[in-house]
Amino acid sequence: MVDLQTQYQRIKADIDAGIQEVIDSAAFIKGPKVAAFQEHLEAYTGAKHVIPVGNGTDALQIALMGLGLKPGDEVITPTFTFIATAEVVALLGLTPVVVDVDWETMNMDIEAVRRAITPRTKAIVPVHLFGQCADMEALMALAKEKHIYVVEDACQAIGATFTFSNGETKQAGTIGDIGCTSFFPSKNLGCYGDGGAIFTNDDALAERMRAIANHGCHVRYHHDEVGVNSRLDSIQAAILDAKLPHLDEYIAARQRAAAYYDSVFSDQNSAISGKLLIPGRQAHSTHVFHQYTLRVVGADRDKLREGLAAAGIPAMIYYPVPLHQQKAYRDPRYKDGDFPVAERLAACVLSLPMHTELDEEQLSYITGNVLKLMIDNC
């Protein structure tokens, strides 16, 4: 699914030099490499404040803590997403409210969000799933109308851009009140361990979230509020700082691979036409393809996956169980069938290999096997 070793070999000298610099300095925690990466990421994203933290889940939790939400406050999030989005809501004693998603883009359905808002709704967490932004123009207008915070889960979409109707362009994670991202190794900008970051343009929020991430400290050993211990270590920052200048070329490589997949699966043999649907696109967002996710309709998705595995081709299901059907998040407010799009997607999505090192020979092998297996399935 991901070829991190080949990617590393291409920039090995820069990575190794950065790691060695940290070791030589022994500045392993909050060292100059962290400060340098923070500055460079602010310049890349256009965010006024970047707060490096330990991982993407921590970023989401600290963001919600920074807003000062109270137990019982409702937070709206899509039911078709990775568990961390709802996990942090539950951990803080807040009330997760899940909504359905769009069949084409697999992102949050804005009209479903509107219907889910109550007087207790304090925040909306759109997930920029698989690498493209949710409909942020419509969502921000709704949030402004209802006086609700927006915390972007951009853990899969760093480098994606959204263009507003007035022509203004912003990066994923820099549109809402707060944005969060992950540097998990498989992400488009990934480190060699865990890492994450928070984005905001609000000075007061930035100050508060920095303190929360540092045990609630504004001044050392003076703890003004309950916080956590979450920081990006210097070695991971050095790795990320070496990779950041290559992020645009990494995105371009993923987009080329996606275009190859599109070209094959959009011009299918009539025997499988309409049974293998390419990822839908959000009209105003670029797509950075953290994942390339097909929808297998009218064929056996699991049999297709097994056939690909037999041919040495990994394929993954992101995500097989929506949040409202997870045992830990079962809620009497929701029942099976309440979120038909998410449930249908869970039954039919299949993600193909997607990374920066895919070449035409590999792509041809993958697509050829997919088509053959689909025809055999049919």
Side-chain angles (χ1 to χ4, degrees):
M1 292 294 291
V2 181
D3 184 0
L4 296 176
Q5 184 56 241
T6 302
Q7 185 189 73
Y8 162 67
Q9 292 298 330
R10 295 182 188 277
I11 56 171
K12 182 178 186 301
D14 292 338
I15 296 281
D16 292 356
I19 293 172
Q20 192 62 52
E21 185 179 336
V22 173
I23 294 170
D24 289 343
S25 71
F28 299 113
I29 303 295
K30 294 186 177 179
K33 280 293 185 184
V34 178
F37 173 63
Q38 175 186 322
E39 180 182 339
H40 297 154
L41 191 57
E42 286 169 347
Y44 178 85
T45 60
K48 187 175 182 181
H49 301 283
V50 167
I51 304 163
V53 293
N55 55 68
T57 306
D58 281 1
L60 288 164
Q61 179 174 331
I62 293 164
L64 294 176
M65 292 173 73
L67 295 175
L69 305 188
K70 306 298 183 185
D73 287 347
E74 293 179 352
V75 179
I76 297 174
T77 193
T79 191
F80 189 66
T81 181
F82 182 58
I83 201 69
T85 316
E87 186 175 49
V88 297
V89 176
L91 283 170
L92 294 173
L94 309 173
T95 301
V97 174
V98 297
V99 297
D100 214 342
V101 295
D102 178 76
W103 169 249
E104 287 292 331
T105 67
M106 295 175 266
N107 273 327
M108 178 179 268
D109 181 331
I110 306 303
E111 287 308 308
V113 174
R114 182 180 291 277
R115 293 191 296 271
I117 292 172
T118 76
R120 295 180 299 278
T121 305
K122 299 297 188 240
I124 302 168
V125 183
V127 180
H128 302 323
L129 198 68
F130 300 145
Q132 66 179 334
C133 296
D135 186 353
M136 290 304 294
E137 183 157 21
L139 184 62
M140 293 305 294
L142 176 59
K144 184 177 180 180
E145 173 193 339
K146 300 293 186 178
H147 306 288
I148 297 170
Y149 293 114
V150 174
V151 177
E152 295 174 75
D153 181 340
C155 290
Q156 299 185 9
I158 191 167
T161 58
F162 188 91
T163 302
F164 291 82
S165 56
N166 65 1
E168 182 182 16
T169 298
K170 290 186 177 181
Q171 286 220 10
T174 69
I175 303 167
D177 298 282
I178 306 172
C180 303
T181 199
S182 165
F183 302 127
F184 188 79
S186 65
K187 295 295 199 280
N188 293 29
L189 180 63
C191 55
Y192 294 167
D194 267 324
I198 304 167
F199 309 127
T200 188
N201 294 316
D202 186 304
D203 295 343
L205 270 176
E207 182 180 2
R208 187 171 192 210
M209 291 188 293
R210 284 195 188 97
I212 290 170
N214 185 33
H215 301 285
C217 280
H218 293 274
V219 178
R220 194 173 189 183
Y221 301 128
H222 293 262
H223 305 273
D224 298 334
E225 58 187 314
V226 175
V228 298
N229 176 26
S230 185
R231 54 202 175 200
L232 181 69
D233 75 68
S234 297
I235 286 178
Q236 301 306 332
I239 292 163
L240 290 164
D241 210 30
K243 294 178 78 172
L244 181 58
H246 301 277
L247 179 55
D248 286 345
E249 68 187 72
Y250 291 162
I251 290 171
R254 288 171 177 269
Q255 289 171 336
R256 285 193 297 272
Y260 188 103
Y261 283 142
D262 282 352
S263 68
V264 174
F265 299 137
S266 295
D267 184 22
Q268 299 168 7
N269 183 296
S270 60
I272 60 170
S273 181
K275 296 184 178 182
L276 198 65
L277 307 180
I278 66 172
R281 308 299 202 270
Q282 162 58 247
H284 303 290
S285 175
T286 60
H287 202 319
V288 297
F289 291 100
H290 172 60
Q291 301 294 346
Y292 185 91
T293 302
L294 294 165
R295 290 157 292 161
V296 184
V297 182
D300 190 329
R301 186 266 310 272
D302 295 330
K303 187 176 178 182
L304 172 61
R305 186 187 183 198
E306 291 167 6
L308 291 172
I313 300 167
M316 297 293 290
I317 299 170
Y318 305 114
Y319 297 95
V321 184
L323 296 183
H324 68 282
Q325 293 180 327
Q326 296 283 355
K327 182 178 179 180
Y329 296 90
R330 281 284 187 180
D331 189 306
R333 293 173 298 169
Y334 309 129
K335 63 182 184 299
D336 293 350
D338 282 352
F339 306 95
V341 178
E343 292 174 26
R344 187 182 180 198
L345 287 170
C348 75
V349 290
L350 190 67
S351 296
L352 298 180
M354 174 52 70
H355 54 81
T356 59
E357 308 306 312
L358 286 167
D359 59 33
E360 190 165 338
E361 181 180 2
Q362 292 170 321
L363 291 165
S364 176
Y365 182 73
I366 294 165
T367 54
N369 275 275
V370 169
L371 292 177
K372 180 179 184 301
L373 288 161
M374 284 293 294
I375 291 170
D376 291 345
N377 260 332
C378 296

